[in-house]
Amino acid sequence: MQGIILFLLLASTYLMVIAKRMPALIRSFRYQSFFLFLVTFLAAFNEKVIELYVVSGMIILVKVFLIPYFLNLTAKKINLDENLGLFVNSQLSLVLALIFTYYSWVLSVNLGFGQGSLQSVAVTVAFSVIFIGAFMMISRMKAFTQVVGILIMENGIFLFASSASGGMPFFAEIAIFFDIFISVVIMGIFVFRINKLFTHIDVNKLSRLKG
Amino acid sequence: MLNLLTNNLFLFDPLALFFLAVIFIVSLPSIVYSFSYLKGEYSTAKILLAQVLLLAFVLSMALVVSVSNCLIFLIFWEIMSLVSYFLVVFDTKQAKSIQAGLIYIVMTHIGTAFIIAAFMILHNYAHSFDFFAIKNACQAMPSQTKDIVFLLFLIGFGTKAGIVPLHIWLPYAHPQASSHISSIMSGVMIKTAIYGIIRFVMFILGVNSSWWGILVLILAVISCLVGVIYALMEHDIKRLLAYHSVENIGIILLGVGLAMFFTSLGLPYLAVFSLIAGLYHLINHAIFKGLLFLCAGSVYKATGTRDIEKLGGLIKKMPQTAAYFLLGAMAISALPPLNGFVSEWLTLQAFFLGAFNVIGGNKLFLGICAAMLALTSGLAAACFVKAFGVTFLAKPRSHYAESAKEVALPMRIGMLILAVLIVIFGLAAALIIKLLARVSGSTLGIDISSMTFSLNNFTLAPQTARNIYLSTPTLALWLLIFGIVGFVIYRIFGRGKSVIYKTWDCGYYKLDSRNEYTATAFSKPFRVAFSFFLLPYRKTQKIRESFYHIKSFSYETHTTKVFKKYIYDPVLAIVFKTAKAMRRIQLGSIHLYLGYIFITLLLLIIFIGQF
Amino acid sequence: MMIILQIILFILTAPLLSGLITKIKNNLRMRKGQSIIQPYYNLVKLFSKDEVISETASWIFRVTPFIVLSSTLAAAILIPVFIFASSAHHMGDFLALIFIFALGRFFLALSALDTGSSFGGMGASREMFISSLVEPALCMVIFAISLQFSSTDISAFSGMHAITVSSVVAAIALFLIVIAETSRIPIDNQETHLELTMVHEAMVLEYSGRSLALIEMASYIKQMIFFFLIAQLIFPIGGLPLGNFVQMLLWVLWCITRVVIIAITVALVEVSVAKMRLFRVADFLGFAFVLGVIATVCAILGV
């Protein structure tokens, strides 16, 4: 059961990689967060820890509803072209994402999580989500994507933490959620400001600002 | 490692108490002085900020010398440097202040970097930051490590003290700060660096190799000569005084270096004596340099300019300031019976006594160093004849000097306190040496209870030689008696009439202040004599109306700034070139930067995965 | 006290020495010259004249003659001379001597700048230049002497001592220094008032009357002090042998003769060489410094 959900999580991550427009990206992010919620909920159900219930509730509230809502709001305010500029075209991105997945599988085996166990699968998925999030930040032109890239990486880290070590301390998780939320709001403001100042959020064109 | 706040955080041994005394003796008159100095220069809010910064500065220095933990020492050292930086750039309207502050903060941080490196090496051996723990661990340290730590400390503290060639910030920073800040910086802050050297090299590391002392002596002699030669060429009062600080730090380090040298040779009493000479000159310099800077500030406040070529005749307009400046000038030129004379005599005596007790070539080395000290004191006297004479005597050379008035009472009180201290420290020399003997004995760990430094409380007698005495009260008494005798002869034997008339003008009717000797002219023989070092060059420009008639002729003479041109500028050029070359990886694209991070991350994971 | 008597004798005979040198110089120049006691006549004349003080001068100008005289007299106390080979050696030693002279020189240079005349500034500048170059040479000489006697006290070498190579070389160096300090040719010319050639005279140009008399007195006494030091180095003499009258007489004669020998040498040097350019004085005094180093090396080697 959990394996299937993890696989679905990975699939939604691949969906993000091949997304060419902003609404698609945000939708895939929503799916990914939903599957993350399911994983946490199942873990809470199995271990019967109250805190995990609360955490999964926060995931669904913040990451599935609130953050995508804010991102959509920002996108609409900017009122510009929905295309995410792609440095690396989507087919090549998908190939790279698969390579990252293989790479994180090798990594999880080397880290000694036991081949074939559920934990190693979870760690694999977590690492690949992290790498793919970083890759998203690098290979997409719009500043917006970098915000989403951070959020994806956060998802991956959360998954890794909960699978490898049984979750982080409760308050750390609360704090991280709060952090993420605030960062999104701030980045929304920033992107708006960048757009207002430069009338575009194409980060590539900001390359004149160098030392 | 986290035993930062141990119980014994402060250490009030005699050395720390001595430095605390130095700090407060110089800071209190400056604080009194600052009350009327800052009035009228800045708005009230800014004056309040200046006073707060001043108090923070004094407090941070006091804490630097009294803590016994390396980390806390560094914290207060940094606070001291930062607060003094703010005080240097306080007058933000002048571009020179900003430049001076930049040079100062860069140099002081380079020094702090070296100090931190030395601390880290010490911590490696002692596994603790406490002074006493490090002192115990240093006895087992291998000799090469000790050498490296010594060099790191010397460079680190030397940058702050102003040893040549690390002195370059002093002539920029001291003139730009307000005068009472300059007096505290020059009088006290540089001395905290000497405290660092004494505490860390002599007390904690323990001197065992004689080349340490020789290196410090050579650096000190070079600092003395370079400082005083550059001071002779200066015509900005405060920059002149700043270069004299470099020279006097050299003299203090002569005493300290001798102490290191004698400790390593196993002559404990001589080491104590040399350290007494160094510490005495330290406190003397703090007092008279503090006084001189306050006087320079009074002159600046009254006339509006620091250029002595535009001043003159101030002795009639500002008699009290002139008297204090004269006293300070006499003290720094080592004239009896004031305090500068006593400390320079002690330093020379330390050289001579050392020469009696060492063997062979060391004697000649000590003799030549002593001769260089005599040379610098002669040059310093020449420089102060110029500074006092051109500023205060003869006729005013410009409208700046003509409109001068005596300064307000708080400033005069500040100067009076220091002037009185100069006289006291000169006359009560024997008493002060007794106190300093305790300080240096405890620092070097030598038992001084069997040393007798004076017969009665008025005469100094260094114990390790026979029949050498110095008694400043007796000297002062005889000088006074003979002066009175001369006056009596003057009154009794001569005809009583004195006529006031114009200066001898060779028959030219109208002589004015343009005929007076300028400061540039005064220092010309020195410029020529030391031209191999100063590399003077001149720029002339003639504007002709015809072949025979020159309308105007402008003449400028400059000395080359040797250290800046040959050491600092090339180093800066290399640094900038390297930075420019490294700029090529910075292309301005955020994606590239993120890509750098990502690739580094991947490589790191592979790398760690290998292990 | 003995010291006071000694000082008074010293002061009274100082101008005589200067008169002697002038007489010898003049005779060597094939002139009859002034009498030996002419300096006394000059002093009496100066005391009886009015004084003209410049209107730009301040209290420093008026106070300087007293300071110069008192510093020179204080230095004279430190020298063990004449009959009573004792001195106020509890007051200072050879090193203190340098600084005491520096006191007088400092104020003299200041008073020269005080009047605002170009002559004064020029004299002060040159004088400070020369004196600052004299200092290392003098220090080296004192170092060489002190190494021999293991003490910087002047009374250490006031007794009989062997004449070593070191003390001879030190005496030659001291001789060169004395030429600089007492403003003799080839450094300075005491007889001229030309701007090109004066150093000491330029500083005291504005002084007249009683103040000038005091300053002249001070320079005579300073010269006497230095000559006694050199004489003690090369021709050492012990204390006064009380008892035998003939021996006492001979002692006094020898004491005077050795100083006269030095005076004659100075006069010969003054007559034979020309005054040097100011900037060559640095070389001259550098040579004195090197001689001092040689004397030190000889003292270290024990020669």
Side-chain angles (χ1 to χ4, degrees):
Chain A
M1 183 63 190
Q2 272 168 324
I4 298 180
I5 302 181
L6 285 170
F7 171 71
L8 283 174
L9 207 153
L10 195 59
S12 65
T13 317
Y14 290 156
L15 275 179
M16 281 196 274
V17 169
I18 60 175
K20 282 200 204 143
R21 286 185 299 155
M22 264 194 275
L25 185 65
I26 298 177
R27 209 182 316 136
S28 316
F29 176 70
R30 212 177 246 189
Y31 295 156
Q32 189 192 45
S33 307
F34 178 69
F35 289 129
L36 187 65
F37 156 72
L38 281 181
V39 168
T40 321
F41 191 72
L42 269 178
F45 191 68
N46 282 342
E47 292 178 33
K48 298 202 178 20
V49 178
I50 303 287
E51 291 155 348
L52 278 178
Y53 279 118
V54 177
V55 168
S56 50
M58 287 193 69
I59 292 182
I60 195 166
L61 183 66
V62 175
K63 285 203 171 163
V64 177
F65 289 119
L66 279 178
I67 286 184
Y69 170 69
F70 265 111
L71 288 175
N72 275 323
L73 202 65
T74 312
K76 225 177 296 203
K77 248 207 229 163
I78 296 179
N79 200 23
L80 44 66
D81 185 21
E82 289 182 332
N83 272 324
L84 303 168
L86 297 173
F87 276 128
V88 183
N89 64 358
S90 60
Q91 289 86 355
L92 189 57
S93 306
L94 192 56
V95 169
L96 281 173
L98 286 170
I99 294 180
F100 284 140
T101 314
Y102 170 69
Y103 181 62
S104 26
W105 184 65
V106 170
L107 188 63
S108 82
V109 167
N110 270 345
L111 284 175
F113 280 103
Q115 219 160 355
S117 71
L118 186 64
Q119 204 184 26
S120 85
V121 171
V123 169
T124 309
V125 171
F127 268 122
S128 56
V129 167
I130 294 176
F131 289 142
I132 290 173
F135 175 68
M136 292 290 292
M137 285 208 290
I138 298 176
S139 62
R140 301 291 180 259
M141 289 186 203
K142 295 243 162 82
F144 193 79
T145 329
Q146 279 151 4
V147 175
V148 178
I150 291 265
L151 294 169
I152 299 172
M153 284 179 80
E154 170 52 32
N155 273 351
I157 293 173
F158 179 77
L159 183 59
F160 176 71
S162 63
S163 65
S165 62
M168 299 180 276
F170 185 56
F171 282 111
E173 292 179 5
I174 301 281
I176 292 174
F177 272 117
F178 186 66
D179 264 340
I180 296 285
F181 184 60
I182 295 295
S183 340
V184 169
V185 173
I186 291 179
M187 283 186 210
I189 299 173
F190 250 126
V191 167
F192 183 61
R193 282 287 300 163
I194 292 177
N195 188 49
K196 206 158 133 190
L197 196 59
F198 293 108
T199 64
H200 65 85
I201 54 167
D202 192 347
V203 180
N204 201 26
K205 291 191 192 151
L206 292 176
S207 64
R208 280 190 300 136
L209 300 168
K210 59 184 172 182
Chain B
M1 191 208 143
L2 291 172
N3 46 348
L4 296 172
L5 294 167
T6 55
N7 289 336
N8 36 336
L9 187 59
F10 290 101
L11 175 65
F12 288 112
D13 66 344
L15 187 67
L17 288 172
F18 170 71
F19 274 93
L20 279 174
V22 172
I23 293 175
F24 286 117
I25 284 180
V26 177
S27 310
L28 285 174
S30 300
I31 295 177
V32 170
Y33 182 91
S34 67
F35 282 122
S36 58
Y37 182 77
L38 291 171
K39 224 188 295 195
E41 300 246 349
Y42 307 109
S43 66
T44 325
K46 212 163 178 200
I47 292 183
L48 197 62
L49 177 64
Q51 299 291 48
V52 165
L53 282 175
L54 173 61
L55 285 171
F57 187 32
V58 173
L59 216 62
S60 64
M61 281 191 292
L63 285 167
V64 159
V65 302
S66 47
V67 295
S68 71
N69 184 300
C70 290
L71 270 186
I72 314 288
F73 178 87
L74 269 178
I75 292 175
F76 286 122
W77 183 262
E78 265 306 299
I79 294 179
M80 180 178 84
S81 307
L82 282 176
V83 174
S84 55
Y85 167 74
F86 288 131
L87 286 166
V88 166
V89 299
F90 199 72
D91 191 5
T92 44
K93 282 193 223 109
Q94 298 194 17
K96 273 201 203 168
S97 294
I98 314 279
Q99 182 204 17
L102 182 67
I103 297 180
Y104 171 52
I105 198 79
V106 167
M107 290 298 295
T108 198
H109 275 114
I110 292 177
T112 314
F114 279 93
I115 299 176
I116 295 179
F119 279 161
M120 294 203 302
I121 298 183
L122 285 179
H123 177 79
N124 207 16
Y125 278 92
H127 305 290
S128 151
F129 281 120
D130 184 49
F131 283 0
F132 287 104
I134 299 179
K135 187 173 175 183
N136 286 333
C138 282
Q139 287 165 2
M141 207 189 274
S143 161
Q144 280 98 334
T145 322
K146 268 196 185 176
D147 291 346
I148 296 177
V149 172
F150 165 67
L151 283 172
L152 288 173
F153 272 132
L154 190 62
I155 300 178
F157 285 117
T159 319
K160 189 58 152 233
I163 306 180
V164 168
L166 301 162
H167 66 288
I168 198 160
W169 60 273
L170 260 167
Y172 287 103
H174 281 136
Q176 294 304 124
S178 316
S179 302
H180 57 286
I181 302 294
S182 304
S183 92
I184 299 184
M185 274 174 74
S186 181
V188 185
M189 190 183 75
I190 323 183
K191 311 302 191 304
T192 55
I194 306 286
Y195 165 79
I197 294 181
I198 297 180
R199 173 71 78 193
F200 289 106
V201 174
M202 298 181 77
F203 182 67
I204 290 188
L205 269 184
V207 184
N208 274 328
S209 346
S210 64
W211 69 266
W212 289 12
I214 295 183
L215 178 67
V216 173
L217 277 175
I218 294 179
L219 281 177
V221 167
I222 296 177
S223 301
C224 282
L225 291 174
V226 167
V228 79
I229 294 176
Y230 275 129
L232 274 166
M233 300 295 129
E234 281 296 330
H235 304 308
D236 175 336
I237 301 185
K238 286 170 76 172
R239 193 172 267 200
L240 188 144
L241 292 172
Y243 274 117
H244 272 291
S245 294
V246 173
E247 173 219 339
N248 279 291
I249 287 285
I251 301 181
I252 298 175
L253 278 178
L254 279 175
V256 171
L258 271 180
M260 288 206 253
F261 184 58
F262 292 140
T263 324
S264 66
L265 288 181
L267 296 163
Y269 290 139
L270 276 176
V272 170
F273 186 67
S274 322
L275 193 57
I276 291 177
L279 290 177
Y280 204 153
H281 197 81
L282 196 145
I283 192 166
N284 284 343
H285 176 243
I287 299 176
F288 56 62
K289 189 48 72 65
L291 176 63
L292 284 169
F293 265 111
L294 294 184
C295 295
S298 308
V299 169
Y300 177 59
K301 182 116 173 132
T303 61
T305 176
R306 292 200 309 250
D307 187 359
I308 58 179
E309 302 265 36
K310 296 194 170 60
L311 300 173
L314 291 177
I315 194 170
K316 301 214 169 107
K317 305 214 162 48
M318 307 169 64
Q320 293 189 26
T321 310
Y324 295 137
F325 195 95
L326 180 64
L327 207 60
M330 284 171 71
I332 200 170
S333 316
L335 300 181
L338 299 174
N339 58 358
F341 161 63
V342 180
S343 58
E344 284 207 26
W345 184 87
L346 279 174
T347 316
L348 275 176
Q349 200 60 254
F351 275 112
F352 278 59
L353 290 175
F356 301 151
N357 287 309
V358 301
I359 46 169
N362 288 332
K363 286 198 210 213
L364 189 59
F365 174 67
L366 288 179
I368 293 185
C369 290
M372 291 300 115
L373 176 60
L375 176 64
T376 65
S377 94
L379 290 172
C383 188
F384 272 95
V385 165
K386 174 187 91 172
F388 182 74
V390 172
T391 314
F392 287 98
L393 302 177
K395 285 197 276 242
R397 289 181 177 79
S398 75
H399 63 279
Y400 290 109
E402 272 163 27
S403 54
K405 276 199 291 281
E406 184 63 82
V407 292
L409 186 63
M411 293 164 85
R412 279 182 277 153
I413 291 183
M415 294 192 278
L416 176 67
I417 300 176
L418 287 172
V420 166
L421 279 174
I422 286 183
V423 175
I424 293 181
F425 270 75
L427 292 178
L431 280 169
I432 300 199
I433 289 195
K434 270 196 192 159
L435 290 172
L436 287 176
R438 287 232 309 266
V439 173
S440 49
S442 89
T443 312
L444 293 172
I446 293 170
D447 181 23
I448 55 148
S449 53
S450 63
M451 299 177 86
T452 54
F453 277 108
S454 64
L455 303 177
N456 43 31
N457 273 337
F458 292 113
T459 317
L460 303 171
Q463 191 205 20
T464 47
R466 52 190 174 94
N467 290 345
I468 306 181
Y469 305 103
L470 175 74
S471 168
T472 31
T474 320
L475 191 57
L477 190 65
W478 278 114
L479 282 172
L480 203 59
I481 291 179
F482 287 129
I484 294 177
V485 163
F487 188 68
V488 161
I489 297 178
Y490 183 84
R491 277 301 197 182
I492 296 182
F493 284 112
R495 283 244 300 256
K497 202 148 151 271
S498 296
V499 176
I500 309 272
Y501 194 62
K502 289 194 293 203
T503 315
W504 167 242
D505 52 9
C506 290
Y508 288 104
Y509 186 55
K510 263 188 183 282
L511 284 191
D512 61 353
S513 59
R514 288 293 291 157
N515 288 93
E516 290 168 0
Y517 227 57
T518 61
T520 318
F522 195 96
S523 53
K524 171 141 187 177
F526 300 101
R527 209 163 26 247
V528 170
F530 295 114
S531 62
F532 62 90
F533 175 67
L534 288 169
L535 305 172
Y537 57 95
R538 59 166 76 139
K539 292 194 230 175
T540 58
Q541 190 186 31
K542 285 187 196 155
I543 300 181
R544 294 172 187 268
E545 261 181 18
S546 69
F547 184 69
Y548 297 103
H549 186 214
I550 299 178
K551 209 158 77 149
S552 83
F553 183 92
S554 85
Y555 170 92
E556 283 176 27
T557 174
H558 299 268
T559 58
T560 324
K561 293 189 194 183
V562 170
F563 288 100
K564 189 157 174 294
K565 191 167 150 191
Y566 292 113
I567 300 183
Y568 284 89
D569 282 347
V571 166
L572 281 178
I574 293 178
V575 167
F576 280 128
K577 222 168 33 162
T578 322
K580 243 190 183 162
M582 289 187 68
R583 258 215 328 215
R584 292 204 214 112
I585 64 170
Q586 195 186 23
L587 287 170
S589 158
I590 294 187
H591 300 94
L592 190 62
Y593 301 155
L594 287 171
Y596 286 147
I597 298 175
F598 188 51
I599 293 178
T600 316
L601 197 64
L602 284 179
L603 286 173
L604 258 180
I605 293 182
I606 298 177
F607 193 64
I608 294 179
Q610 297 294 338
F611 296 99
Chain C
M1 264 193 302
M2 296 306 182
I3 294 184
I4 307 288
L5 205 62
Q6 175 178 301
I7 287 292
I8 297 182
L9 237 109
F10 204 61
I11 297 175
L12 289 177
T13 47
L16 194 62
L17 191 61
S18 188
L20 181 67
I21 297 181
T22 319
K23 180 83 176 170
I24 300 174
K25 273 181 11 186
N26 285 330
N27 279 345
L28 284 171
R29 288 175 186 152
M30 311 294 283
R31 303 202 309 222
K32 193 151 184 262
Q34 51 196 20
S35 75
I36 292 186
I37 51 176
Q38 182 65 32
Y40 292 105
Y41 291 146
N42 285 341
L43 287 175
V44 169
K45 172 191 79 169
L46 283 173
F47 265 115
S48 66
K49 284 198 168 220
D50 291 342
E51 207 179 329
V52 177
I53 299 185
S54 158
E55 58 193 7
T56 17
S58 61
W59 58 268
I60 291 189
F61 187 81
R62 290 163 208 253
V63 151
T64 300
F66 306 120
I67 296 184
V68 169
L69 184 65
S70 77
S71 71
T72 322
L73 286 175
I77 291 192
L78 283 178
I79 312 288
V81 290
F82 276 153
I83 315 170
F84 318 102
S86 74
S87 63
H89 70 138
H90 281 272
M91 194 170 83
D93 62 346
F94 220 151
L95 291 172
L97 198 69
I98 317 180
F99 290 112
I100 296 177
F101 281 133
L103 176 64
R105 191 166 42 228
F106 189 81
F107 272 93
L108 203 56
L110 278 183
S111 72
L113 283 171
D114 199 8
T115 56
S117 81
S118 327
F119 290 112
M122 188 189 71
S125 156
R126 292 177 182 178
E127 170 71 21
M128 295 314 290
F129 174 64
I130 294 174
S131 70
S132 58
L133 291 175
V134 156
E135 296 246 348
L138 190 54
C139 187
M140 234 27 230
V141 165
I142 296 178
F143 193 74
I145 299 174
S146 317
L147 268 185
Q148 251 194 309
F149 301 103
S150 297
S151 167
T152 55
D153 194 19
I154 307 182
S155 41
F157 67 96
S158 66
M160 275 302 283
H161 58 88
I163 307 177
T164 58
V165 173
S166 165
S167 48
V168 170
V169 176
I172 299 177
L174 195 56
F175 185 75
L176 295 179
I177 291 169
V178 162
I179 292 182
E181 283 276 341
T182 53
S183 322
R184 301 242 160 234
I185 297 177
I187 305 247
D188 182 15
N189 198 345
Q190 281 182 350
E191 297 161 353
T192 176
H193 281 87
L194 294 173
E195 177 194 316
L196 267 180
T197 54
M198 36 177 198
V199 177
H200 184 84
E201 288 299 315
M203 284 201 295
V204 300
L205 195 70
E206 288 289 324
Y207 278 109
S208 50
R210 301 175 284 171
S211 308
L212 186 57
L214 291 177
I215 294 186
E216 294 278 324
M217 250 337 277
S219 66
Y220 294 148
I221 299 174
K222 187 164 151 183
Q223 184 177 264
M224 190 81 155
I225 292 176
F226 274 113
F227 282 9
F228 260 91
L229 280 175
I230 301 182
Q232 183 61 30
L233 265 183
I234 325 183
F235 310 115
I237 193 168
L240 179 70
L242 297 155
N244 196 341
F245 185 69
V246 173
Q247 259 189 347
M248 260 171 62
L249 198 62
L250 281 176
W251 189 96
V252 168
L253 271 175
W254 172 230
C255 203
I256 300 176
T257 317
R258 61 194 190 140
V259 179
V260 168
I261 295 179
I262 311 267
I264 296 178
T265 322
V266 169
L268 281 173
V269 166
E270 278 214 87
V271 165
S272 356
V273 301
K275 186 180 169 311
M276 280 190 307
R277 259 192 83 189
L278 179 69
F279 301 129
R280 288 202 49 207
V281 169
D283 302 336
F284 181 79
L285 291 169
F287 180 59
F289 178 75
V290 166
L291 279 181
V293 171
I294 295 179
T296 317
V297 170
C298 293
I300 295 177
L301 293 175
V303 176

